[in-house]
Amino acid sequence: MDGRDLVRSMRVIGSGRAARGVRAAWRRRRIDAAGLPRRGAERARVPGRVESVEPGPGGGVIRFSRSELRVTVAVNGAVFWGWDGAAPQPSYALAGSGPEPDPRAVLEPDKDGGWRVVAERVTVVVSRHGAVEVCTPGGVVLRRELPPRWWEPVGGGEARWMQRSEVAADARFFGLGGRASGPRLRDGSYRLWNTDPGGAFRPGDDPLYLTMPVQLVVADAGTHLMFYDSTWDGTVVLREGEEGAGSGHDRAGRCELRMDGGPLRCWVMVGPPARVLLTWASLTGAPALPPAWALGHQHARWGFGDEQEVRRIVAGYQERGLPLDAVHLDIDHYDEHRVFTVDRERFPKLPVLAEELRRDGIRLVSVVDPAVRAAPGDAVYDGGAAVDAFVRDASGRPVRGVVWAGESVYPDFTHPRVRRWWGGLYEERLEQGFAGFWHDMNEPVSFNAFGEPTLPRSARHALEGRGGDHREAHNVYGLCMARAGYEGLRELAPQQRPFVFSRSGWAGMQRYGGTWSGAVATGWPGLRATLSLVLGLGLCGVPYSGPDVGGFDGSPAPELYLRWFQLGAYLPLFRTHASPRAGRREPWEFGPEVLEHARAALLERRRLLPYLVTLAHLARRTGAPYVRPVWWSAPEDRALRDCEDTFLLGDSLLVAPVLEPGAERRVVRLPRGRWYDTVTERAYEGPARVLVDAPLSRIPVFARAGAVVPVRGDEGLELETWAPAPGRNGGGLLIRDAGDGWDIPEMERYAARWEGEAVVVTREDETGAGAPEWPVRVRGLG
């Protein structure tokens, strides 16, 4: 901890907590000095030459003089390989035991002493020195992994390793979890260590709360997803390639990954983006399905104060005719910031308040932090101590940090017993009337030195019985906490779909819920960063996310607030939230003009709820994110790959948010096909760049020609159909559910086509085509 960290800590949390934080930081460093093994001299190693092979199901083992490589093609098309005997399990990313090997894939000799595994979708070629090439079935190389290198401590211990890769010169990198700079990842270094930046973050800040060693690489030759399954601290250095002009040579794109430990193992998936994300979801688990109310508008503020303030805010929404689906209570509703408690003076009848709100269709959502005040007599602390729940240092003493509740200890969520205990604590939250939960401060963090881990790296964790330290457990701490909450809620309220979203997590996070942007800085750069985060997380398999509308830390100007609000209305998680220093975020606080335009955005969100529910079910079934880059269906279009200010909402809508001040028009890049402005119904032909109006009252939204979009009309559900282009057909999907529960709803397919001068919509099923059950409204006929 340096002087800058100390000053920042004191400014943010006050001198009292900062002083305790300084002591905690020094204590952590002393613990690490005593508990971590000294590295000392290291021995460098590379695989060497091929000496023998052992065919096996879906591939086999290739033995080199100083290592061995296991290659397996799974039945879902994913390819696994691991060095030094690494197997797919144990893994925090994989759902279950992982997919079965594909019996059709076989290990066979290749040229120059190498070997290869040929499968339906991919060919993996291994050179005699350990380079691994991922090729299309036609033999085009998508990625070349150079022989890896290890640095092993002479006295034993975890080896550091490095993997260098090459991709096509035209390739673009995406992913790596939640990154404020993006969604396309430019040249630079990206750290793989979940981190609270210690205040509001901006586009250049890295790392943030949720990092993943997951790359999605898009090139002319094809798309592939690369996942390095190690939870340790690491760094990814990316360098985009460059195509030679005239007689010049191409310069390949490059990736260099350095990890401080863990196995060197990875998975790769090849194909169109939709297939890649489907394979990823089959590997790491289907995204959790939020209850329908969680797709509406949610209002939060750190500093609601008391029950009367909550009622006043809700009444403000109701009096102005503004839809509201949930209210979030931050840490200020706790008794002295202690988790799973309630301040009885300010919230004396919280269950009554929750029931009043529920009768009006509004749910209460509670923040849950992982830190537990280290105070005998505290019910949560005593309960955790009784089951030996808290993380200990190498000497066997509970590790302590400083958080909002003061001196605190931390549950070891990598132990199944601790997850069961923690999951049972949500019964208190349910009894208070809460219907949803947002996990905060779970990187985890402490007020010692921002940007450093709360727990000593030498702190001991169960790691599902394997045993290990915080160097391996840190990145999955939030993931395991989400699992504890999700599984506890499944047991406590089995008829309800749990609603959990978490600030931190790791690969596979989608199994338990979603995430949000965290403390994004108020400002136009912060607005742009939130779109980057949502798009990037979706490409890593986390489809449900969104920002704190307006930014977390500052007071947005009315125009900025409105543009942020309009963008949020089209993102999966639509939530206003801010710190006490940022002021109020209710739409009426920004003047009558902003109020009316915000009302329009809220009503449009409410109108699109049937479509959003459909997208949520599709995400669970296929892994496809709700919010998609514009190149989703045309990754070969280079111009679309570089478009970062526009996105697709499902297959049917294209949203072009306003991301700069004073803009009343903006340029929109349209993919191939006909697109309709959803307000003017004017048709545009893509691919093209078009200049369209973007008045303060709305952001440009386009509908794909032929799209059948389920919406909420004046009389209930209706099918909004956009006229197909001449000579073309269209269609859409509708998935209805009761808003909660586990029944699997039927998928309804609709087709739209021209019959003479009219557009006809029919429902398609196994028995043929029939009339739709719902009213049809055709648009775009002008």
Side-chain angles (χ1 to χ4, degrees), residues 6-57:
L6 174 60
V7 171
R8 180 167 53 178
S9 299
M10 294 180 67
R11 184 174 66 246
V12 174
I13 65 175
S15 59
R17 283 201 185 99
R20 292 196 297 271
V22 171
R23 291 194 295 271
W26 283 114
R27 183 169 60 220
R28 180 182 61 78
R29 293 193 175 189
R30 289 197 304 270
I31 292 172
D32 276 347
L36 284 179
R38 298 183 183 278
R39 292 208 68 90
E42 294 181 323
R43 180 187 299 110
R45 181 165 63 85
V46 295
R49 293 175 64 94
V50 171
E51 293 188 338
S52 64
V53 299
E54 180 183 335

Side-chain angles (χ1 to χ4, degrees), residues 745-776:
E746 180 184 1
M747 179 186 294
E748 302 175 19
R749 299 179 180 273
Y750 294 93
R753 65 182 181 275
W754 286 99
E755 287 189 3
E757 299 297 318
V759 174
V760 176
V761 177
T762 55
R763 179 173 176 178
E764 310 286 321
D765 55 31
E766 312 81 45
T767 62
E773 177 183 352
W774 315 106
V776 175

Side-chain angles (χ1 to χ4, degrees), residues 60-144:
V61 176
I62 305 172
R63 293 188 173 88
F64 297 79
S65 60
R66 290 181 290 275
S67 186
E68 67 177 33
L69 174 67
R70 181 189 306 274
V71 182
T72 305
V73 179
V75 291
N76 64 0
V79 179
F80 169 84
W81 69 74
W83 287 95
D84 282 359
Q89 290 287 5
S91 170
Y92 278 104
L94 271 58
S97 59
E100 294 295 320
D102 184 350
R104 299 169 298 174
V106 295
L107 182 65
E108 59 186 33
D110 194 49
K111 60 185 179 181
D112 298 328
W115 292 81
R116 67 181 181 181
V117 180
V118 180
E120 180 183 5
R121 301 176 188 171
V122 64
T123 298
V124 180
V125 180
V126 182
S127 78
R128 67 178 185 272
H129 293 293
V132 181
E133 291 182 347
V134 179
C135 307
T136 67
V140 178
V141 177
L142 296 177
R143 188 182 192 95
R144 185 170 190 267

